[in-house]
């Protein structure tokens, strides 16, 4: 569908340009357009392949197709599944931390996201398919869960399945099974026990295996951008690699800030009311600006693939237009360093324009109401920057072999600088700057490219990029979007270092009404019903008596409502004045008293407690590690108050000088 | 030193055989012995390189060198650092779970383990260097910690450093940085937050970078056993790969059971009293049996390297003795399948004998009082088995192209089966069977070999091997040794599913004396001193009064002793009858009363509590996740008892029908 924007294959309209030309021998980049089976729209409609008229017609139809695809995508999302938009990773992170968003992982989301993702990617917008594929995989995982009561009834088990599904999603998106497992561990999951590691690994194995059986890239490889470099890297090259890391970190910061500012504007102004129009306008601008530049016109994965490639002697891309040494006596693969030809200089200009274009347009694209991933655009930005740096270093080394920095490792006639490797390192740096991944990033990069020899350069770039980006703000793009949307996400990475105590956070505060509690043997059914009606708490602590306030247990609002309703209907003698007993044995009452209601079975006898002097640092740690929803606060065995997850999140927001009311709750 | 057992390099005695012959052109396996600089001992001493006499002399000197090396190793360990023996991984796991073994990570252990590891590996015993290198790295990490008070004073921070050190250790041992991080995560560490992941990653990066700068393998590669295969794998090959997985699982089970049985015998009988003799005898037997077989005579890493290798046309090893097609018109690397020559059949016999020898001798070697790792021997067993299976499949495919299983993918003249790949898969399977690693195993394997294309076969073998081995017993070799030694290790992987409650585990039990508590305002200094003298508890709960028993806090024995000692020395008027106050304000007492002692500042006001009805499943979870040492048990705010980590471990052992008294405590 991406290629359909430019032309059509006469032998079968569903073939891509590359598939269409497989039978032809001219499949290198430069000769692509000469494959006779493939016709551009102008050629097909008017018979003229060349000339200004044909160019304008092609240009016009390119924009038209792009608009059609994106209009279809945004309309389907609007009408059928509003949750199908975006990358989905911030929401999945939130869901895995214990929040429930109903329908987010439902079958409609699955169906619509799958279809609209294809449309969105084909429309040529600056977005990728990786994040949405993780969302799609999690939808599948969730649907499978609902088939087995063991998983559908236990939220914890369901989350373990979702963690594994996320791993499988990345495994399929990139053909990177190990990277998928690590991505799930490092980026998506909240609680990741070893058992889940092992299961995610199995899920990713099966995903990779299935992918290989289907063989979508037609080369029996799992690897998406397979590269083969012929030279090792040299110590001195670490300097440009680290510079690329710095660029990645700076770009990551810039992107996150600008994108969040734009998304906030969308959220708070009139802009947010016209999502369809917004998508149409951005698609129009993207197509209008992308078409004239050959590096932005093609699909982003093709671009990345070309940028990663080493210039062998047979490569005919514009980027490989070097002046070759005429007396070529070496084997084909061993290329000495060469001066760049006009094609390379031309490509440098076009790449610079493409870089600026991609940097700007991605800011406005990510967050629109269509499925949109961030991996491919980030990698494209990094790969373009990296290739430019790589060619610059290469030409510098060629023209200045005598410079002290090149002297030791780059003798004349040696093939010492591989610009494709710089592109790879740049891609890793930018992806790292945006997402703040480390180990998973490096593993994904070398699973993507097969470049196992280049772990150290990749690691160096990833580390630098993370450091630089972290210096400007701890949050990656996903955490920033979580915060923007106000999801109640307790980030496991933030260290809570303030010296507040549980007593400062618990409710009731000093001027609040008393804590709503039940007593173990002196509350009547009517009291309970009034309490349920007057408050909207999820549960109530049960104490011995109002005087001693010693804590007995905790009862859920849901259970209490149900138990009273059942008792009223089925149990004779239970009336409004019946006393509710939470003790082990209800005392023998005179017959004149109404029948008591025994509710010990719905009482949670082991509620979580902390003392009022517990530092909030410890409380936050407990909430995170044990996944609590609330925790009771006591002093010397007396109940003082309650801290809910909401209170903890609000307190943390307050401590970070943010508006505590911006956090959303289910 | 390994090569010194066989001969010496005339140009420089510290050169290995390979280094010695680098200048010579005959460096392939078959021509190794013809390098003129390298002389076997018999040749050097008698001038005769051939003949029965020379063979016997070489044989004798080989054994003598082996005995010398191992004697030195075991003596150094015995005399200077008893903790330097073994692999160290079980102990490091235990230390990372919160147990303290003094001196285990000290400078003597570091020094002696480094020296004796070299000796032990050179002696030709069936052991590897990987586990001990993790221990050595952790010693370094621990020594660095002691330089910074931030780390030396905080056990938690120190453990994070040790986790990162373990990653760096594996990174150096294998040249596998990512594998190292995952090994630390999956196998060694107990609590591994994302922050540690990221730091381990950095440590592993620096380790890999340093390793590459030193370039120990002389090939600018990080990779230890670099292989390059020329054919992809085929679906049908998954059957033998899975069979290798089954073999790995079975061997793992057999090895663990036999090794543990032998170690138990060593622990419980007279055998354990003669560790030096034991090492000497095992070394003697190993050398005696290893010398005649060329596959056991050489060092195990060389053996693995040869087994992993693909038989190119230029390879001259015995394993590559195929009948080549005389009219060879293809390029060098594209080898059609060929019938095996006599060398291959000969090698098959020798490999079978080597397999049996390695399987048996490793059982007796692992656990002796010298540094001994398990990775290399396990991989050797798997690689031998894998290569045998690989050659069998290859010859079957050559001779029976018409069989239905080969028909689809293995046409005559095609190079369809790579026996080296089978060796790699077999090695992964055996390593997986022994250690039960999954993700880290696969990553280490492909970092070791550079075989990124073979993730799916490796994963399939690892998964099968884990399943088969788990069917016979959940514990890997490290957990088994932890249990054998009775370390108090709360395995994070075991699920506690019994339905006991906190009340069943807490002390005091029904017939025990009352819980030793302090009251907040009615205990005298003398009472406290008596309590400290009479008991050996690590701390005491403080309650409001003996009647109400409402919990105020918890005070450490250490702090209490110190505070009273200080007060007695420095504070006037504090005598035995002084009352100890834990309340906020001590009441104004008449002047006749002795000066009170205020100790609120040493009182932990937020001790961890659970109610007596809390299921032990939850309690175990809390102990694990929060790394507690003790937890107080209350009912309705009243203190009932205490549960220590010791109690939890004893209870778990009891529930698993093990002797609870076998667990050791510091």
């Amino acid at each position: 569908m991406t290629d359909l924007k430019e032309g059509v294959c006469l032998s079968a309209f569903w073939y891509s340009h590359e598939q269409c030309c497989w039978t032809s021998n001219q499949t290198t980049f430069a000769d692509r357009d000469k494959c006779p089976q493939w016709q551009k729209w102008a050629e097909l409609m008017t018979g003229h392949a060349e000339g200004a008229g044909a160019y304008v017609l092609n240009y016009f139809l390119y924009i038209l197709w792009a608009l059609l695809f994106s209009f279809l995508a945004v309309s389907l999302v609007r009408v059928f599944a509003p949750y199908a938009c975006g990358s989905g990773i911030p929401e999945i992170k939130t869901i895995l931390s214990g929040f429930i968003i109903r329908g987010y992982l439902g079958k409609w989301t699955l169906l619509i996201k799958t279809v609209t993702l294809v449309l969105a990617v084909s429309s040529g917008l600056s977005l990728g398919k990786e994040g949405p594929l993780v969302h799609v995989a999690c939808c599948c995982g969730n649907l499978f869960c609902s088939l087995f009561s063991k998983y559908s009834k236990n939220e914890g088990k369901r989350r373990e399945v979702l963690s594994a599904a996320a791993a499988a999603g990345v495994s399929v998106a990139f053909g990177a099974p190990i990277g998928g497992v690590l991505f799930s561990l490092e980026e998506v999951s909240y609680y990741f026990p070893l058992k889940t590691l092992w299961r995610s690994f199995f899920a990713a194995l099966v995903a990779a295996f299935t992918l290989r059986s289907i063989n979508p890239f037609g080369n029996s490889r799992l690897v998406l951008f397979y590269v083969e470099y012929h030279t090792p890297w040299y110590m001195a090259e670490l300097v440009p690699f680290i510079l690329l890391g710095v660029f990645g970190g700076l770009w990551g910061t810039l992107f996150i800030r600008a994108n969040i500012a734009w998304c906030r504007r969308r959220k708070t102004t009139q802009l947010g009311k016209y999502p369809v129009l917004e998508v149409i306008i951005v698609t129009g601008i993207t197509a209008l600006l992308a078409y004239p530049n050959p590096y932005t016109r093609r699909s982003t994965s093709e671009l990345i693939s070309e940028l990663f490639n080493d210039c062998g002697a047979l490569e005919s891309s514009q980027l490989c237009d070097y002046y070759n040494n005429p007396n070529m006596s070496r084997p084909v693969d061993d290329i000495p360093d060469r001066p760049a030809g006009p094609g390379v200089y031309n490509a440098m200009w076009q790449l610079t324009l493409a870089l600026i274009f991609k940097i700007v347009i991605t800011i406005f694209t990510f967050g629109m109401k269509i499925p949109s991933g961030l991996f491919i655009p980030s990698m494209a930005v990094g790969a373009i920057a990296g290739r430019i740096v790589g060619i610059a270093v290469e030409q510098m080394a060629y023209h200045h072999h005598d410079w002290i920095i090149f002297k030791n490792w780059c003798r004349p006639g040696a093939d010492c600088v591989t610009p494709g490797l710089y592109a790879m390192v740049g891609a890793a740096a930018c992806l790292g700057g945006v997402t703040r991944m480390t180990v998973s990033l490096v593993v994904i990069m070398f699973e993507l490219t097969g470049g196992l020899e280049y772990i150290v350069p990749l690691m160096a770039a990833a580390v630098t990029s993370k450091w630089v980006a972290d210096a400007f703000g701890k949050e990656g793009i996903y955490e920033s979007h979580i915060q923007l949307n106000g999801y109640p996400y307790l980030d496991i990475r933030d260290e809570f270092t303030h010296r507040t105590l549980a007593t400062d956070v618990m409710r009731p505060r000093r001027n609040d009404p008393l804590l709503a509690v039940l007593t173990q043997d002196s509350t009547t059914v009517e009291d309970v019903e009034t309490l349920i009606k007057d408050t909207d708490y999820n549960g109530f602590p049960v104490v011995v008596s109002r005087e001693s306030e010693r804590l007995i247990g905790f009862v859920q609002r849901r259970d209490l409502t149900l138990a009273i309703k059942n008792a009223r209907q089925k149990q004779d003698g239970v009336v409004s004045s019946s006393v509710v007993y939470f003790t082990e044995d209800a005392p023998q009452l005179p017959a004149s008293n109404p029948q008591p209601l025994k509710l010990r079975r719905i009482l949670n006898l082991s509620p979580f407690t902390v003392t009022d002097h517990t530092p909030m640092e410890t409380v936050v740690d407990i909430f995170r590690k044990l996944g609590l929803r609330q925790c009771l606060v006591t002093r010397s065995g007396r109940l003082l108050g309650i801290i809910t997850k909401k209170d903890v999140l609000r307190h943390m927001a307050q401590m970070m000088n943010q508006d505590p009311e911006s956090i959303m709750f289910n």
Side-chain angles (χ1 to χ4, degrees), chain A:
Chain A
M1 278 171 70
T2 302
D3 287 351
L4 210 60
K5 295 205 300 292
E6 293 192 54
V8 71
C9 186
L10 294 182
S11 45
F13 75 91
W14 60 87
Y15 274 6
S16 75
H17 192 155
E18 200 188 334
Q19 283 171 315
C20 190
C21 298
W22 265 344
T23 47
S24 155
N25 287 324
Q26 302 140 323
T27 50
T28 50
F29 279 109
D31 296 340
R32 270 183 63 143
D33 293 342
K34 289 166 199 152
C35 159
Q37 294 284 288
W38 180 260
Q39 293 215 332
K40 290 200 173 189
W41 288 114
E43 195 179 350
L44 190 74
M45 290 161 81
T46 66
H48 299 287
E50 308 290 328
Y55 186 84
V56 171
L57 185 58
N58 278 329
Y59 199 166
F60 177 71
L61 282 167
Y62 181 90
I63 298 175
L64 216 63
W65 277 109
L67 290 175
L68 176 68
F69 289 153
S70 70
F71 176 72
L72 270 176
V74 70
S75 310
L76 282 172
V77 168
R78 287 281 293 171
V79 176
F80 293 106
Y83 284 141
C85 69
S87 88
I89 292 180
E91 286 79 12
I92 288 165
K93 273 176 83 103
T94 314
I95 289 173
L96 288 178
S97 82
F99 187 60
I100 294 166
I101 309 177
R102 288 206 194 286
Y104 198 82
L105 300 174
K107 55 183 179 302
W108 275 107
T109 311
L110 171 64
L111 187 71
I112 295 299
K113 191 141 192 173
T114 310
V115 174
T116 54
L117 178 58
V118 174
L119 290 165
V121 171
S122 322
S123 75
L125 280 164
S126 180
L127 47 79
K129 65 183 196 310
E130 283 64 29
L133 274 179
V134 171
H135 185 181
V136 164
C138 285
C139 290
C140 292
N142 192 44
L143 289 177
F144 279 128
C145 277
S146 63
L147 298 181
F148 304 97
S149 69
K150 180 180 173 193
Y151 293 97
S152 62
K153 286 195 181 152
N154 185 331
E155 282 299 321
K157 292 239 172 254
R158 185 200 291 266
R159 273 178 235 141
E160 286 179 20
V161 172
L162 293 184
S163 290
V170 176
S171 174
V172 168
F174 284 121
I178 313 264
V181 173
L182 289 173
F183 181 77
S184 178
L185 163 67
E186 198 178 357
E187 199 56 41
V188 183
S189 297
Y190 194 76
Y191 170 62
F192 203 85
L194 278 178
K195 209 174 54 185
T196 308
L197 181 74
W198 154 238
R199 286 169 184 181
S200 303
F201 179 62
F202 187 72
L205 162 69
V206 175
F209 184 78
T210 314
L211 187 69
R212 191 185 180 281
S213 313
I214 296 172
N215 197 3
F217 310 119
N219 57 357
S220 277
R221 293 189 194 277
L222 276 179
V223 173
L224 194 55
F225 306 119
Y226 184 77
V227 291
E228 217 168 30
Y229 302 134
H230 304 101
T231 40
W233 57 277
Y234 301 90
M235 272 320 167
E237 289 187 284
L238 275 183
V239 178
F241 292 154
I242 286 173
L243 286 179
L244 282 173
V246 173
F247 170 78
L250 290 177
W251 178 73
T253 309
L254 170 79
F255 175 79
I256 292 172
R257 296 223 175 149
N259 180 255
I260 290 295
W262 180 249
C263 287
R264 179 162 293 130
R265 172 166 289 253
R266 184 187 292 130
K267 245 179 116 94
T268 51
T269 63
Q270 291 288 317
L271 191 68
K273 295 192 180 153
Y274 309 102
V276 179
L277 192 65
E278 187 194 358
V279 170
I280 294 287
I281 290 172
V282 173
T283 312
I285 295 172
T286 307
L288 197 70
L289 294 177
Y291 191 82
N293 188 335
Y295 292 105
T296 49
R297 189 194 307 175
R298 72 181 60 158
S299 82
T300 319
S301 4
E302 266 177 55
L303 170 65
I304 295 173
S305 181
E306 183 176 347
L307 291 170
F308 280 8
N309 249 309
D310 194 11
C311 281
L314 300 174
E315 201 64 64
S316 57
S317 138
Q318 194 185 216
L319 271 173
C320 294
D321 177 29
Y322 290 90
Y323 290 114
N324 282 313
N325 207 336
N327 52 349
M328 188 101 116
S329 58
R330 290 149 177 273
V332 173
D333 280 348
D334 189 12
I335 313 292
D337 62 345
R338 304 161 293 181
V344 174
Y345 287 111
N346 194 16
M348 290 278 268
W349 273 114
Q350 289 175 341
L351 282 178
T352 311
L353 290 175
L355 180 64
I356 297 167
F357 168 69
K358 288 265 173 202
I359 286 178
V360 174
I361 203 73
T362 310
I363 292 171
F364 296 99
T365 307
F366 188 72
M368 290 199 304
K369 292 278 171 227
I370 44 168
S372 57
L374 198 51
F375 274 47
I376 291 283
S378 309
M379 283 173 69
V381 167
I384 296 172
R387 188 80 188 205
I388 292 173
V389 171
I391 291 174
V393 172
E394 182 198 45
Q395 291 306 309
M396 223 155 41
Y398 176 77
H399 291 292
H400 305 282
H401 279 296
D402 51 335
W403 282 11
I404 201 149
I405 43 167
F406 298 119
K407 224 174 188 171
N408 291 321
W409 53 280
C410 197
R411 256 165 252 115
D415 176 18
C416 40
V417 179
T418 311
L421 173 61
Y422 285 72
M424 195 164 110
V425 170
C430 281
L431 195 48
V434 171
T435 59
R436 310 293 159 83
M437 299 192 286
T438 53
V439 194
S440 50
L441 172 65
V442 175
V443 175
I444 286 178
M445 283 310 292
F446 74 66
E447 280 194 291
L448 268 181
T449 58
L452 193 71
E453 293 289 301
Y454 305 100
I455 292 184
V456 173
L458 287 172
M459 275 181 151
V463 166
T464 318
S465 157
K466 190 183 157 72
W467 269 344
V468 170
D470 275 354
F472 292 103
K474 282 277 170 202
E475 276 144 354
I477 185 72
Y478 302 130
E479 290 81 35
S480 303
H481 271 264
I482 285 175
Q483 220 171 69
L484 176 74
N485 291 323
Y487 297 134
Y489 179 74
L490 199 53
D491 196 342
I492 213 150
R493 276 176 284 195
D494 286 345
E495 271 184 90
F496 186 89
T497 49
H498 306 283
R499 298 189 159 273
T500 45
L501 297 178
T503 184
D504 305 327
V505 179
M506 72 171 193
R507 283 175 310 156
R509 298 291 166 81
R510 209 151 292 165
N511 303 321
D512 287 354
L514 283 177
L515 186 65
V517 295
L518 301 173
T519 53
Q520 65 175 356
D521 53 7
S522 59
T523 323
T524 61
V525 170
E526 198 177 0
D527 294 343
V528 176
E529 283 171 336
T530 316
L531 193 65
I532 290 176
K533 218 177 66 196
D534 291 352
T535 65
D536 56 354
Y537 303 135
N538 281 323
F540 307 94
V542 178
V543 294
V544 171
S545 68
R546 288 207 181 270
E547 294 71 47
S548 85
E549 285 198 321
R550 288 185 299 142
L551 183 69
I552 302 288
F554 192 81
V555 63
Q556 293 283 333
R557 179 198 188 86
R558 200 178 47 215
D559 297 338
L560 204 56
T561 319
L562 205 68
I564 289 181
K565 198 178 133 209
N566 278 344
R568 286 248 195 205
Q569 283 172 357
K570 294 175 192 157
Q571 208 172 324
D572 278 345
V574 171
V575 292
S576 295
S577 59
S578 295
V579 176
V580 175
Y581 283 95
F582 291 102
T583 48
E584 225 150 327
D585 306 295
Q588 282 301 320
L589 297 171
S592 62
N593 287 31
Q595 184 81 16
L597 177 57
K598 292 183 218 162
L599 288 183
R600 194 175 177 86
R601 65 193 155 75
I602 63 164
L603 186 65
N604 173 8
L605 288 165
S606 52
F608 228 86
T609 59
V610 293
T611 66
D612 58 336
H613 276 85
T614 312
M616 273 311 286
E617 196 181 339
T618 312
V619 176
V620 170
D621 199 45
I622 295 171
F623 265 86
R624 274 180 192 152
K625 287 193 186 151
L626 303 178
L628 297 185
R629 288 176 168 267
Q630 73 270 320
C631 178
L632 297 168
V633 183
T634 60
R635 180 198 287 165
S636 329
R638 271 178 209 280
L639 181 67
L640 284 186
I642 188 167
I643 297 179
T644 61
K645 189 171 175 187
K646 195 169 165 176
D647 298 323
V648 173
L649 283 164
R650 282 211 178 120
H651 180 68
M652 287 177 77
Q654 234 164 10
M655 287 288 124
M656 286 186 286
N657 296 319
Q658 288 159 357
D659 176 21
E661 295 313 315
S662 68
I663 294 168
M664 185 174 93
F665 293 95
N666 53 342

